[in-house]
């Protein structure tokens, strides 16, 4: 009974966060096509913050033994995403209109949609189909991080200053 409740909870959690990321991707792409990259972050800000912040539960899942993921891997992964979401994008609005922020948001969305659908399917069915396992193995997330780290090299000098101010706070 406990195992069934655990699987049900994890399935609901994964599909709920999947839905949040699907919303972020939809808003990002429609806004990008409708009005350009400078408006993408404003369109996705709240659902992005909710989806990224929901990942804090993954740390709790690991701490209480709901999942086998080691905290030593989960904590820096979630922490870095929260730092970008809240420490940079929310704290320094001047960073949000750069074209590479749109790329970051879309890359994050695609990566997380794959990840959460993989785990949601695995919890519901006991395993995920091979095509979803293959998608899960792709390293899309590294392109998102690379795009964000390239911001200062693309004529956006404010990010370095914003990051420095964030560390000084």
């Amino acid at each position: 009974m406990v195992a069934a409740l655990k699987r049900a909870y994890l399935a609901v959690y994964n599909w709920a966060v999947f839905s949040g990321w699907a919303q972020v991707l939809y808003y990002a792409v429609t806004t990008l096509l409708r009005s350009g990259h400078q408006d993408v972050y404003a369109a996705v800000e709240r659902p992005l913050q909710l989806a990224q912040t929901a990942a804090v539960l993954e740390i709790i899942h690991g701490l209480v033994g709901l999942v086998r993921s080691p905290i030593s891997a989960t904590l820096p992964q979630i922490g870095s995403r929260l730092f970008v979401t809240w420490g940079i994008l929310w704290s320094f609005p001047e960073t949000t209109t750069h074209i590479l922020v749109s790329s970051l948001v879309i890359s994050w969305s695609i990566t997380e949609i794959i990840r959460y659908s993989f785990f949601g399917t695995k919890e519901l069915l006991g395993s995920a189909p091979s095509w979803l396992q293959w998608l899960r193995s792709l390293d899309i997330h590294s392109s998102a991080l690379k795009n964000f780290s390239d911001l200062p090299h693309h004529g956006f000098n404010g990010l370095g200053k914003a990051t420095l101010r964030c560390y000084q706070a």
Side-chain angles (χ1 to χ4, degrees):
M1 178 69 169
V2 173
L5 286 174
K6 172 185 151 185
R7 287 185 68 175
Y9 165 76
L10 289 173
V12 168
Y13 168 77
N14 281 292
W15 286 110
V17 180
F18 163 88
S19 298
W21 280 109
Q23 183 181 25
V24 170
L25 181 62
Y26 173 78
Y27 288 160
V29 171
T30 56
T31 303
L32 183 63
L33 295 173
R34 186 183 61 237
S35 57
H37 72 273
Q38 66 281 356
D39 295 326
V40 167
Y41 185 76
V44 304
E45 181 177 28
R46 189 60 61 205
L48 174 69
Q49 291 169 341
L50 290 172
Q52 284 292 31
T53 304
V56 169
L57 289 173
E58 294 174 34
I59 297 168
I60 296 168
H61 295 161
L63 285 172
V64 300
L66 278 177
V67 297
R68 294 181 305 184
S69 300
I71 298 304
S72 60
T74 306
L75 192 59
Q77 181 183 41
I78 303 302
S80 65
R81 293 177 188 172
L82 290 173
F83 176 73
V84 171
T85 302
W86 293 100
I88 296 175
L89 296 172
W90 182 78
S91 298
F92 304 100
E94 64 270 21
T95 64
T96 63
T97 58
H98 195 279
I99 190 167
L100 291 179
V101 171
S102 299
S103 178
L104 172 75
V105 166
I106 291 169
S107 296
W108 258 350
S109 299
I110 293 168
T111 299
E112 301 300 0
I113 285 169
I114 292 168
R115 185 165 80 92
Y116 286 106
S117 64
F118 171 82
F119 287 115
T121 302
K122 193 173 171 186
E123 292 300 332
L124 277 178
L125 306 177
S127 66
S130 59
W131 63 267
L132 193 51
Q133 291 176 12
W134 178 79
L135 285 174
R136 173 80 175 108
S137 70
L138 295 177
D139 191 19
I140 297 171
H141 191 59
S142 66
S143 67
L145 293 176
K146 178 169 180 357
N147 286 340
F148 198 78
S149 68
D150 281 348
L151 282 174
H153 305 292
H154 285 75
F156 186 77
N157 297 323
L159 179 64
K161 294 175 190 166
T163 305
L164 180 60
R165 284 193 309 242
C166 192
Y167 281 125
Q168 291 172 341

